[in-house]
């Protein structure tokens, strides 16, 4: 029974709990007095109307006695104690607190997410057999779909900064992707892969944004040593989530807070963010150039093979030789193309793109104000990289047009190289 007037009157609140399941504990939510939790002989139940009706909250919890319940208010978690089956934690009660009558009836809705914290480093895969699993590193975003969308329909989730600029856009439709660069996990473990596709089943869906900008451009098959192509994490602040379902927009705010254990000042955080974005931008430009360079080389090689036995073969080989040599020299400075597996870099030294990626990881792992050495190394790497990018730009603007003029004179098809993409990285 439950009383709301200090015992003057009582109301029975066990409707919906099986009569053959003794109830050991009932707890009231610390924020919503109508939200109750009951631990029974074989599981846990929740009531959204002060105990008038109950429904199972077992989810994947095995049939087990729930002898005590606690609400960890700061983290908004529900913690249950079982009889011999360990402690269990249900992360993020904010969704249950928002489940009004309309929400429980299954209408399409984007829920207000709980605040997210910027934790240092990466969220790594794997854990010891006797360790529990931590909550996801990022912002858990919940949305309910009244029905599963049509097969060809697209649902999108956009994350906007306080000034309205789009930071990320996720979709339910797979797009064209390249094979990700391999992150070396030999010493530090492998970072968890962030989800890219929105789940779109009918009912409740959860999507975790890792609080990062888009990844820097990847070079297919590239091997990285202590480095990652992941984008930087966003700074603390307020962001807007917009879910688009069949042309209907649903928006909610998201608050991102700095790690409460961090001792970094706002100025230190800003300096660190600025340096990370600069490294990120330089790395993105470098890998875009490598991909374009390899595209050009492939086209040149395809052309020479196609006309290998023609009367133009000798002149064509002579015209392309110097340009191919220049491409090889630029590529060898920007990327270690001989490395095919993580240990290969022990034999073949890393190049500029890997050095930039490693510097990015080092600055992010430190979770501190950048040192003078960080700035000095970036200045040196950026200067060396920009020298090679200038050589590549010269190939695009001078070398390639000159080659096209010569092969056109041989009555052969000209080589087309797409324009450089707009900066994928956010600068």
């Amino acid at each position: 029974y439950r009383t709301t007037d200090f015992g003057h009157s009582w109301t029975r609140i066990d409707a919906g709990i099986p009569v053959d399941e003794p109830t050991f504990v009932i707890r009231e939510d610390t924020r919503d007095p109508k939200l109750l939790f009951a631990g029974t002989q074989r599981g846990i139940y929740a009531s959204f109307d002060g105990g008038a009706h109950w429904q199972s909250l077992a989810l994947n919890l095995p049939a087990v006695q729930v002898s005590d319940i606690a609400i960890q208010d700061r983290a908004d978690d529900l913690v249950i104690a079982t009889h011999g089956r360990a402690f269990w934690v249900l992360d993020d009660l904010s969704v249950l607190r928002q489940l009004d009558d309309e929400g429980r009836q299954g209408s399409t809705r984007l829920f207000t997410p709980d605040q997210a914290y910027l934790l240092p480093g990466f969220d790594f895969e794997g854990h010891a057999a006797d360790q529990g699993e931590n909550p996801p590193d990022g912002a858990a975003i919940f949305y309910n779909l009244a029905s599963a969308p049509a097969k060809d329909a697209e649902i999108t989730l956009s994350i906007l900064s306080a000034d309205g600029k789009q930071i990320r856009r996720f979709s339910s439709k797979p797009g064209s992707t390249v094979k990700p660069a391999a992150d070396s996990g030999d010493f530090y473990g492998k970072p968890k892969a962030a989800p890219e596709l929105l789940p779109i089943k009918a009912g409740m869906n959860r999507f975790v944004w890792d609080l990062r900008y888009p990844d820097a451009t990847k070079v297919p098959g590239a091997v990285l040593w202590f480095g990652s192509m992941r984008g930087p994490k966003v700074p603390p602040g307020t962001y807007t989530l917009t879910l688009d379902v069949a042309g209907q927009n649903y928006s909610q705010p998201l608050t991102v807070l700095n790690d409460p254990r961090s001792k970094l000042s706002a100025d230190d955080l800003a300096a660190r963010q600025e340096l990370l974005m600069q490294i990120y931008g330089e790395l993105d430009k470098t890998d875009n150039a490598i991909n374009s360079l390899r595209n050009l080389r492939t086209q040149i090689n395809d052309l020479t093979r196609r006309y290998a036995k023609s009367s133009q073969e000798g002149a064509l080989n002579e015209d392309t030789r110097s340009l191919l040599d220049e491409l090889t020299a630029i590529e060898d400075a920007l990327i270690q193309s001989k490395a095919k597996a993580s240990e290969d870099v022990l034999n073949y030294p890393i190049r500029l793109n890997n050095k930039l990626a490693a510097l990015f990881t080092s600055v992010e792992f430190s979770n501190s104000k950048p040192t003078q050495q960080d700035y000095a190394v970036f200045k040196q790497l950026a200067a060396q990289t920009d020298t090679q990018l200038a050589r590549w730009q010269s190939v695009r603007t001078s070398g390639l047009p000159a080659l096209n003029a010569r092969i056109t004179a041989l009555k052969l098809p000209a080589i087309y190289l797409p324009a450089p993409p707009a900066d994928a990285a956010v600068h």
Side-chain angles (χ1 to χ4, degrees), residues 20-351:
D20 60 343
E21 287 194 39
T23 300
F24 295 102
V25 59
I26 292 180
R27 292 283 185 262
E28 180 183 283
D29 182 47
T30 55
R31 301 189 188 183
D32 182 357
K34 291 185 178 181
L35 181 57
L36 305 179
F37 303 98
T40 72
Q41 178 70 42
R42 291 194 292 272
I44 184 169
Y45 292 80
S47 172
F48 298 92
D49 54 10
H53 302 87
W54 293 83
Q55 62 189 71
S56 174
L57 192 62
L59 303 175
N60 65 332
L61 181 73
V64 64
Q65 173 184 316
V66 176
S67 52
D68 203 358
I69 298 173
I71 296 173
Q72 214 289 337
D73 198 40
R74 181 175 179 180
D76 285 335
D77 295 340
L78 182 72
V79 184
I80 64 174
T82 68
H83 188 69
R85 297 294 294 271
F87 292 97
W88 293 67
V89 181
L90 177 64
D91 298 322
D92 193 2
L93 286 176
S94 65
V95 175
L96 293 183
R97 290 167 178 157
Q98 297 173 67
L99 274 179
D100 52 19
D101 291 339
E102 182 182 357
R104 292 195 299 277
Q105 289 171 4
S107 60
T108 298
R109 180 176 180 181
L110 174 64
F111 292 89
T112 303
D114 195 12
Q115 58 193 18
Y117 289 92
L118 294 165
L119 302 179
F122 294 123
D123 184 21
F124 289 102
E125 289 181 345
H127 50 80
D130 59 348
Q131 291 180 336
E133 183 178 353
N134 287 326
D137 183 14
I141 301 167
F142 290 87
Y143 53 94
N144 192 79
L145 299 179
S147 60
K151 186 176 181 180
D152 58 345
E154 180 183 24
I155 291 177
T156 63
L157 175 68
S158 299
I159 294 112
L160 308 177
S161 61
D163 58 2
K165 294 181 179 178
Q166 182 172 283
I167 294 175
R168 296 295 297 270
R169 181 182 182 275
F170 299 98
S171 171
S172 60
K173 282 189 171 183
S176 57
T177 59
V178 298
K179 185 179 178 181
D183 292 316
S184 172
D186 296 329
F187 301 109
Y188 302 95
K190 284 191 174 183
K192 284 185 179 178
E196 294 294 335
L197 294 182
L198 295 177
I200 52 172
K201 67 178 185 295
M204 187 69 74
N205 293 270
R206 186 185 81 157
F207 181 80
V208 178
W209 173 39
D210 59 5
L211 303 179
R212 293 183 179 277
Y213 288 96
D215 291 352
T217 299
K218 296 179 176 68
V219 176
V223 174
L224 294 178
W225 184 262
F226 187 65
S228 174
M229 306 306 295
R230 289 190 175 187
K233 290 186 177 181
V234 298
T238 300
Y239 299 85
T240 299
L241 310 177
T242 299
L243 182 72
D244 187 308
V245 182
Q248 181 70 41
N249 288 332
Y250 305 85
S251 294
Q252 293 289 356
L254 168 66
T255 300
V256 177
L257 302 174
N258 192 31
D259 186 343
R261 302 164 297 179
S262 174
K263 297 181 181 179
L264 288 180
S265 67
D267 289 343
D268 290 345
L269 276 172
R272 180 171 171 271
Q273 186 74 14
E274 182 181 10
L275 179 58
L276 285 172
M277 295 299 282
Q278 289 175 346
I279 302 171
Y280 170 56
E282 193 73 17
L283 182 57
D284 188 71
K285 289 191 300 182
T286 299
D287 281 4
N288 265 317
I290 294 169
N291 287 336
S292 294
L293 181 151
R294 290 182 171 181
N295 181 1
L296 177 56
R297 178 194 290 120
T298 298
Q299 291 192 62
I300 293 174
N301 289 335
D302 286 347
L303 185 67
T304 54
R305 279 194 295 268
R306 194 180 314 143
Y307 296 95
K309 297 181 179 180
S310 68
S311 58
Q312 302 103 320
E313 177 183 9
L316 181 60
N317 288 335
E318 183 178 347
D319 289 339
T320 59
R321 186 178 301 116
S322 61
L323 191 58
L324 287 173
D325 289 344
E326 177 69 358
L327 295 179
T328 299
I330 298 171
E331 182 184 34
D332 285 346
L334 293 178
I335 187 171
Q336 180 50 267
S337 56
K338 295 179 180 178
K340 305 300 181 184
S342 61
E343 300 296 331
D344 283 352
V345 293
L346 297 174
N347 294 319
Y348 307 114
I350 64 173
R351 302 302 190 199

